[in-house]
Amino acid sequence: MSATTVDAKARVSAVIEATADDLIAFLSVYVQQRSVNPGRATREEPGGTRDAQVWLRGELDTWNCFDTLDLWEVETDQPNLAAVANGHGNTGQALVYNGHTDTVQVSPEQRAEWIGGDPFSGVVIDGKLYGRGATDMKAGNAAFAWAIRAITQAGFSPASDVTA
């Protein structure tokens, strides 16, 4: 590995370490966005993917590391969001991260047993974040986007387009 590569890796890793608490705070608020898939929504657990995606687009816009934030809808109340960081030099193939924001509903039994109370609380207990969608798939989405943010904050840009 070249010295330049080692330096770049160290700089990006330092940003990630320095912003880890901010990432957890972002993920906590992301989990709080009720995003039950409209096809699984109930009276007790209404859908909310549209509001969650609009919130996410607004948050990502404040990071100033994406060149395009495209929100569109194929299915009613189930918008897609593509956050693109344009590559500079296009030295390789584009990279696309793929995830989802929608969650399944919470049954009354699940709600009664949920660690931290509200399944959409995003509460952190003993270093673990709890909430519907935290592992499937909001944490993955947050990691994809945060990686681009960290690369940008470290003073770099991707060689090719990256879409989260």
Side-chain angles (χ1 to χ4, degrees), residues 4-120:
T4 303
T5 302
V6 171
D7 178 58
K9 189 174 181 180
R11 285 171 50 190
V12 172
S13 293
V15 169
I16 291 169
E17 277 191 44
T19 62
D21 289 343
D22 295 332
L23 170 57
I24 298 302
F26 166 74
L27 178 57
S28 177
V29 177
Y30 187 17
V31 167
Q32 292 169 30
Q33 306 306 306
R34 295 178 184 268
S35 55
V36 174
N37 182 296
R40 294 176 165 240
T42 63
R43 187 170 19 98
E44 298 80 21
E45 293 293 342
T49 53
R50 166 173 289 293
D51 291 343
Q53 291 288 71
V54 168
W55 173 86
L56 182 58
R57 182 174 85 180
E59 287 299 305
L60 297 181
D61 191 37
T62 68
W63 295 3
N64 299 315
C65 61
F66 295 102
D67 297 291
T68 306
L69 292 164
D70 190 14
L71 187 69
W72 75 98
E73 192 171 298
V74 176
E75 296 290 328
T76 302
D77 291 328
Q78 297 186 60
N80 298 291
L81 173 61
V84 181
N86 292 338
H88 300 283
N90 289 318
T91 60
Q93 294 182 350
L95 176 62
V96 177
Y97 293 111
N98 185 18
H100 60 89
T101 292
D102 66 320
T103 64
V104 297
Q105 74 283 14
V106 180
S107 71
E109 296 80 19
Q110 290 170 324
R111 183 174 291 285
E113 296 177 6
W114 200 273
I115 294 173
D118 181 7
F120 292 95

Side-chain angles (χ1 to χ4, degrees), residues 11-12 65 67 85-89 91 148 150-162:
R11 285 171 50 190
V12 172
C65 61
D67 297 291
N86 292 338
H88 300 283
T91 60
I148 296 167
I151 288 167
T152 302
Q153 286 182 344
F156 300 105
S157 60
S160 296
D161 292 354
V162 179

